[in-house]
Amino acid sequence: GAGVSQSPRYKVAKRGQDVALRCDPISGHVSLFWYQQALGQGPEFLTYFQNEAQLDKSGLPSDRFFAERPEGSVSTLKIQRTQQEDSAVYLCASSSVPGGLNYGYTFGSGTRLTVV
Amino acid sequence: RKEVEQDPGPFNVPEGATVAFNCTYSNSASQSFFWYRQDCRKEPKLLMSVYSSGNEDGRFTAQLNRASQYISLLIRDSKLSDSATYLCVVNTGNQFYFGTGTSLTVIP
């Protein structure tokens, strides 16, 4: 597609529920990133994929968070047993170069997760 | 200490004014630098990269001072449409570190 597409746009989950957030990067982009943005804060890094390989998952806040990109294109961020502190906007970004170095990257519109 | 620090503002300036934002970063090994713009409830969008020699794009000028580890963005002749949050971004390794953003409101 022309841009990075994320779904759903909004998600309300009850505490303890599992959620799955989807990201369709720009076609052919090798790098894919997930970020978490809390209200009034800048985006915080969660994880990075180069093609299907998850090269960095140091930003995932707990073992309840899991991300995959099995075929090197679409990625899914899964959060198990959601808690209220998981409420945030989850942003996906992609880049045509490894790591996005020197070129930055393009963000999707994000998924706004609210845990009640 | 945070990787990237920015003054959150808000900056409220009249149309036509010149406004400057600064940001500092902590890791001297950081490799590339950017300014992103984020409108309310929208995703961040790349405004411009920041090069060591400084670079300009229309009314926007970005500068990098590696010795002092700071980045600046200058906006001349502010327009109402410049109202947004401006995020300073630093790339270190595979990670991009974002500042908390500086809020700008341009007033008629």
Side-chain angles (χ1 to χ4, degrees), chain B residues 26-27 48 90-91 96:
Chain B
S26 62
N27 192 333
M48 59 197 302
V90 172
N91 173 268
F96 279 55

Side-chain angles (χ1 to χ4, degrees), chain B residues 56-68:
Chain B
E56 191 172 302
D57 182 2
R59 298 180 293 107
F60 299 83
T61 301
Q63 293 200 312
L64 167 65
N65 184 319
R66 283 191 184 270
S68 303

Side-chain angles (χ1 to χ4, degrees), chain B residues 15-56:
Chain B
E15 261 186 300
T18 295
V19 61
F21 307 135
N22 293 322
C23 138
T24 58
Y25 61 96
S26 62
N27 192 333
S28 60
S30 297
Q31 299 154 289
S32 52
F33 309 88
F34 308 89
W35 283 100
Y36 275 72
R37 171 193 168 129
Q38 187 169 27
D39 293 288
C40 187
R41 302 180 78 85
K42 299 282 190 181
E43 73 275 19
K45 292 187 177 176
L46 179 63
L47 179 65
M48 59 197 302
S49 301
V50 186
Y51 303 121
S52 297
S53 54
N55 49 299
E56 191 172 302

